């Protein structure tokens, strides 16, 4: 019994997960524990486990953050797979079947023509086999053409395809709109377009307004650019070469050795001439005078040179390429480099804050004559923020959380979640999916915990009757506070401002005097009688009840009885009932 998961929609469309050997298969993003690795940031390290039983294949969900679903329903308990079930893992929809999708593919006829030792991918395998290997990556034509594209890095590294004369190919990650679909999250949906003229002599590339830009030999392009053989094109983290097969096959002409060129034969007459004796030569006098003068000048020149070497030392300037490079990238302190003086190539590693900083750094390095090539592995923090924030927005509980950074190599995560459970889920998600945990500054605040801390300070300082409202780090406080407690209340506000997560505090508190701090209840309660002792009121009659100091009225404690008013208090609030006003 065999089973197959066939990717039909999403970034891994065309991928086939084979379950024909063994009894248990783990599918996820971690290559150390997964039988099938899915290169998708929305897939957990261990996403699902499929177990073969007597009744068929049973799917177990292993992820709480990004759970798998079958036919649109989240898998909470182990579920048996049926034929043509739609299984969603991460961002890809798979169809379950027991028939091998590649079983009906027949190999193509091999042409009798002589081909290169390394033919392109389209010449060696059928289109179905290509989909099996590279998913949604598309190839143009199966016959060998003059121009060839070879992917050398990125998720589709190793892929090759031909460029037909007169073709215009769109490159991006949208398999429905692009002729070449790359499985690379840093590539835009429609990133760039490559076109070749009808004669097949000229190839041009243009950027389609992509987010990360298109680089040709390390330089970004803003308009159409003609390509030459061996040009290196970078789209996000994917790079590929443009190869001209005709140029690579040109025969190198080697001219004949100079030793093989015969020397011109001397005339027979000159060879047969008998040389004269030096005694027979006559040297004119003026020649002797000129020779003497020349000898004098030579002697004077040699003497001057000797005196020069004896009195002065020639200093040679020491060439320090590493110092020049450090000076050039001094504005990017988190970037490290390794320079090979033999090849003139530099390897860059580290972090920059924005894409503009990265382009400025590469431009400055390109002005150094000793640098012949740049291998850039610098992380652009701005792109990391964008990807993380896009993933956080997909979870409603984390939409108040966002990532930023104040300096390169430091990722600041700030915001609010409602409960400690939501904070724990966020930390677990980051541990599984964020690659720079050692550089993460986690400052997410739990709103309920912050409200409890604020309430504790108010109660401790004696302001329990004050009300508050906390929204996204902005605190509003309202109520009544006696004038004599104004300084203590300001001290409490200062303590609250120091709590992590408080952005601002707005006070709407009213400071009242002794006469205005009490709430008047005279319209609700009426004193119908009093009892005097030594001309001091001791008892009052309210609502038919005889009450004295310390008794309660509807939960309010009587604190004092004055000749014209009764004073009460409840939960920190003070009240009064007036009588004998006439």
């Amino acid at each position: 019994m065999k089973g197959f998961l066939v990717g039909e929609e999403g970034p891994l469309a065309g991928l086939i997960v084979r379950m024909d050997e063994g009894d248990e298969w783990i599918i996820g993003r971690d290559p150390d524990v997964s039988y099938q690795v899915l290169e998708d940031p929305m897939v957990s390290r261990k996403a699902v486990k499929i177990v073969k039983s007597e009744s068929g294949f049973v799917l177990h969900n292993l992820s709480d953050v990004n759970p798998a679903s079958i036919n649109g329903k989240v898998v909470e308990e182990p579920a048996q797979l049926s034929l043509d079930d739609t299984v969603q893992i991460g961002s890809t929809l798979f169809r379950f079947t027991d028939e091998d999708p590649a079983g009906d593919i027949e190999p193509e006829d091999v042409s009798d023509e002589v081909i290169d030792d390394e033919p392109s991918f389209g010449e060696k395998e059928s289109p179905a086999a290509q989909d099996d290997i590279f998913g949604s990556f598309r190839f143009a034509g199966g016959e060998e053409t003059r121009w060839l594209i070879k992917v050398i890095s990125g998720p589709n590294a190793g892929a090759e395809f031909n460029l037909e004369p007169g073709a215009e190919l769109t490159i991006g990650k949208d398999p429905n709109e692009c002729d070449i679909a790359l499985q690379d999250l840093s590539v835009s949906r429609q990133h760039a377009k490559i076109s070749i003229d009808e004669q097949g002599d000229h190839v041009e590339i243009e950027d389609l307004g992509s987010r990360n830009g298109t680089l040709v030999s390390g330089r970004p392009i803003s308009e159409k650019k003609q390509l030459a053989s061996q040009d290196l094109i970078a789209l996000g983290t994917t790079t590929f070469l443009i190869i001209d097969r005709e140029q690579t096959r040109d025969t190198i002409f080697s001219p004949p050795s100079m030793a093989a060129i015969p020397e011109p034969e001397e005339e027979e007459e000159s060879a047969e001439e008998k040389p004269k004796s030096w005694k027979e030569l006559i040297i004119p006098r003026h020649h002797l005078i000129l020779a003497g003068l020349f000898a004098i000048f030579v002697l004077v020149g040699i003497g001057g040179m000797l005196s020069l070497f004896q009195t002065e030392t020639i200093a040679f300037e020491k060439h320090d390429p590493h110092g020049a490079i450090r000076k050039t990238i001094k504005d990017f302190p988190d970037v490290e480099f390794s320079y090979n003086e033999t090849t003139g190539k530099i390897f860059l590693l580290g972090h920059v804050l924005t894409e503009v900083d990265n382009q400025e750094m590469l431009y400055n390095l390109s002005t150094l004559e000793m640098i012949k090539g740049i291998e850039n592995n610098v992380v652009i923090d701005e792109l990391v923020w964008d990807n993380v924030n896009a993933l956080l927005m997909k979870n409603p509980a984390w939409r108040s959380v966002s990532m930023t950074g104040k300096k390169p190599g430091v990722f600041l995560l700030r915001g609010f979640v409602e409960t400690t459970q939501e904070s724990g889920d966020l930390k677990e998600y980051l541990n599984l999916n964020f690659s720079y945990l050692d550089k993460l500054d986690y400052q997410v605040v739990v709103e309920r915990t912050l409200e409890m801390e604020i309430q504790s300070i108010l109660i401790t300082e004696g302001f329990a009757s004050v009300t508050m409202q906390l929204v996204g780090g902005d605190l509003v406080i309202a109520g009544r506070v006696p004038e004599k407690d104004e300084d203590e209340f300001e001290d409490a506000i200062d303590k609250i401002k120091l709590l992590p997560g408080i952005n601002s505090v707005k006070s709407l508190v009213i400071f009242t005097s002794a006469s205005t701090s009490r709430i008047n209840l005279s319209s609700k309660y009426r004193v119908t009688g009093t009892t005097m002792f030594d001309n001091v009121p001791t008892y009052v009659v309210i609502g038919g009840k005889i009450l004295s100091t310390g008794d309660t009225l509807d939960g309010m404690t009587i604190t004092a009885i004055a000749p014209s008013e009764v004073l009460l208090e409840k939960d920190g609030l003070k009240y009064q009932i007036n009588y004998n006003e006439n």
Side-chain angles (χ1 to χ4, degrees):
M1 181 170 56
K2 300 180 180 180
F4 304 89
L5 288 177
V6 182
E8 294 192 334
E9 295 182 18
L12 302 179
L15 177 66
I16 299 176
V17 181
R18 300 177 179 275
M19 296 173 287
D20 51 0
E21 295 183 0
D23 298 322
E24 183 177 302
W25 304 269
I26 294 179
I27 302 174
R29 191 167 46 81
D30 190 343
D32 296 331
V33 298
S34 301
Y35 162 77
Q36 177 67 53
V37 178
L38 303 182
E39 296 292 344
D40 183 348
M42 297 304 296
V43 176
S44 299
R45 292 176 63 251
K46 293 193 294 184
V48 299
K49 178 175 70 175
I50 299 178
V51 179
K52 183 169 69 175
S53 63
E54 295 181 357
S55 58
F57 292 86
V58 179
L59 185 142
H60 300 254
N61 179 47
L62 302 180
S63 173
D64 295 331
V65 179
N66 296 311
S69 63
I70 299 177
N71 298 326
K73 184 178 180 181
V74 176
V75 178
E76 298 179 352
E77 300 292 337
Q80 184 164 345
L81 295 173
S82 302
L83 292 179
D84 295 327
D85 274 351
T86 299
V87 180
Q88 181 173 0
I89 305 176
S91 303
T92 303
L93 297 178
F94 294 89
R95 177 176 58 85
F96 176 74
T97 179
D98 59 357
E99 297 180 358
D100 189 347
D104 298 332
I105 298 175
E106 297 180 358
E108 296 182 353
D109 294 337
V110 179
S111 175
D112 293 335
E113 297 180 1
V114 178
I115 60 177
D116 290 343
D117 292 336
E118 295 180 3
S120 68
F121 183 83
E123 296 170 335
K124 293 169 65 177
E125 297 188 45
S126 64
Q130 294 170 9
D131 290 341
D132 185 17
I133 295 176
F134 291 104
S136 61
F137 199 91
R138 298 183 182 178
F139 296 90
E143 297 181 0
E144 182 178 290
T145 60
R146 173 180 174 180
W147 295 92
L148 169 72
I149 288 181
K150 181 176 181 64
V151 182
I152 62 174
S153 69
N156 302 96
E160 301 178 356
F161 63 94
N162 301 313
L163 293 178
E164 297 286 347
E168 289 189 353
L169 302 179
T170 302
I171 304 175
K173 67 180 179 184
D174 188 344
N176 297 320
E177 300 292 335
C178 298
D179 301 290
I180 302 173
L182 300 175
Q183 300 170 1
D184 189 340
L185 293 178
S186 63
V187 173
S188 300
R189 295 174 60 86
Q190 295 184 25
H191 199 110
K193 181 170 69 175
I194 287 183
S195 56
I196 183 171
D197 61 4
E198 296 293 339
Q199 292 75 28
D201 295 329
H202 301 287
V203 179
E204 294 181 331
I205 187 169
E206 63 176 318
D207 186 76
L208 299 180
S210 63
R211 184 179 183 84
N212 293 326
T214 301
L215 280 70
V216 177
S217 298
R219 296 179 180 273
I221 62 173
S222 58
E223 56 186 14
K224 276 190 177 182
K225 179 174 179 61
Q226 184 170 335
L227 300 176
S229 183
Q230 303 300 320
D231 274 351
L232 185 65
I233 292 90
L235 280 64
T237 60
T238 297
T239 57
F240 55 85
L241 280 172
I242 296 294
I243 299 174
D244 185 354
R245 287 193 175 99
E246 291 185 3
Q247 183 176 1
T248 58
R249 295 178 184 178
D250 287 344
T251 301
I252 299 176
F253 173 73
S254 177
S257 173
M258 295 300 295
I261 301 176
E263 295 290 341
E265 297 182 358
E266 298 181 358
E267 295 182 0
E268 186 176 351
E269 295 179 358
S270 61
E272 294 178 354
E273 285 184 359
K274 183 179 179 180
K276 295 181 180 181
S277 173
W278 64 274
K279 296 179 180 180
E280 300 178 0
L281 296 176
I282 300 175
I283 302 176
R285 182 179 295 179
H286 65 278
H287 286 181
L288 294 174
I289 295 173
L290 291 176
L293 293 175
F294 178 75
I296 293 172
F297 283 119
V298 170
L299 292 175
V300 173
I302 293 175
M305 292 179 63
L306 290 175
S307 64
L308 179 64
F309 282 114
Q310 290 175 355
T311 58
E312 295 183 6
T313 302
I314 299 177
F316 295 93
E317 182 179 357
K318 186 177 179 181
H319 181 60
D320 182 14
H322 291 80
I325 295 173
R326 278 192 292 270
K327 183 178 179 181
T328 302
I329 63 173
K330 62 182 179 63
D331 294 332
F332 309 97
D334 204 61
V335 175
E336 300 178 356
F337 70 92
S338 175
Y339 176 66
N340 188 326
E341 295 188 30
T342 304
T343 61
K345 292 185 178 180
I346 183 173
F347 179 86
L348 300 176
L349 187 67
H351 292 260
V352 295
L353 202 61
T354 66
E355 191 171 2
V356 174
D357 292 339
N358 183 60
Q359 293 179 359
E360 179 183 354
M361 177 187 64
L362 294 177
Y363 174 78
N364 293 341
L365 289 172
S366 66
T367 61
L368 300 178
E369 295 182 357
M370 71 271 193
I371 294 181
K372 306 303 180 183
I374 300 176
E375 185 173 349
N376 185 17
N377 290 276
V378 174
V379 177
I380 302 175
D381 292 353
E382 184 181 40
L383 302 182
V384 178
W385 310 338
D386 293 342
N387 289 337
V388 172
N389 291 333
L391 294 174
L392 292 175
M393 287 298 295
K394 293 185 178 182
N395 191 323
W398 302 339
R399 289 181 178 175
S400 296
V401 180
S402 63
M403 177 173 288
T404 56
K406 295 183 179 179
K407 62 179 183 178
V410 177
F411 299 95
L412 179 61
L413 192 69
R414 303 183 64 182
F416 294 85
V417 293
E418 187 173 352
T419 65
T420 55
Q421 178 64 37
E422 293 175 354
S423 178
D425 293 342
L426 176 58
K427 290 181 178 178
E428 179 183 359
Y429 180 79
L430 292 172
N431 289 334
L432 296 176
N433 297 278
F434 190 64
S435 303
Y436 310 101
L437 290 175
D438 58 325
K439 300 179 180 294
L440 178 63
D441 185 4
Y442 187 89
Q443 295 186 10
V444 177
V445 178
V446 180
E447 285 189 339
R448 292 185 181 177
T449 303
L450 183 58
E451 289 176 352
M452 293 171 56
E453 292 177 351
I454 297 171
Q455 193 68 43
S456 175
I457 292 176
L458 293 175
I459 293 175
T460 302
E461 299 296 330
F463 304 106
S465 61
V466 175
T467 61
M468 69 171 188
Q469 183 177 10
L470 179 66
V471 179
D474 297 325
L475 178 65
V476 178
I477 298 179
R480 293 172 176 266
V481 173
E483 288 181 346
K484 64 182 182 64
D485 297 333
E486 183 175 355
D487 292 339
E488 288 80 0
F489 180 76
E490 294 297 334
D491 292 340
I493 294 298
D494 291 339
K495 292 180 181 180
I496 292 174
K497 290 180 178 179
L498 298 176
L499 294 176
I502 294 295
N503 298 329
S504 65
V505 178
K506 184 176 182 180
S507 176
L508 301 178
V509 170
I510 299 174
F511 296 99
T512 60
S513 61
S515 60
T516 61
S517 62
R518 296 183 179 274
I519 301 174
N520 196 326
L521 301 178
S522 302
S523 61
K524 183 176 180 181
Y525 299 97
R526 183 179 178 185
V527 178
T528 58
T530 60
T531 300
M532 308 289 289
F533 182 76
D534 291 339
N535 293 325
V536 176
T538 306
Y539 296 96
V540 292
V541 180
I542 302 175
K545 296 181 180 180
I546 300 175
L547 303 173
S548 181
T549 303
D551 294 337
T552 59
L553 174 63
D554 293 340
M556 298 177 291
T557 302
I558 297 177
T559 59
I561 300 176
S564 62
E565 61 184 3
V566 180
L567 305 181
L568 306 95
E569 187 173 340
K570 178 182 179 182
D571 296 334
L573 297 178
K574 297 180 180 181
Y575 306 90
Q576 67 182 24
I577 302 174
N578 297 328
Y579 68 97
N580 292 335
E581 295 182 352
N582 296 327

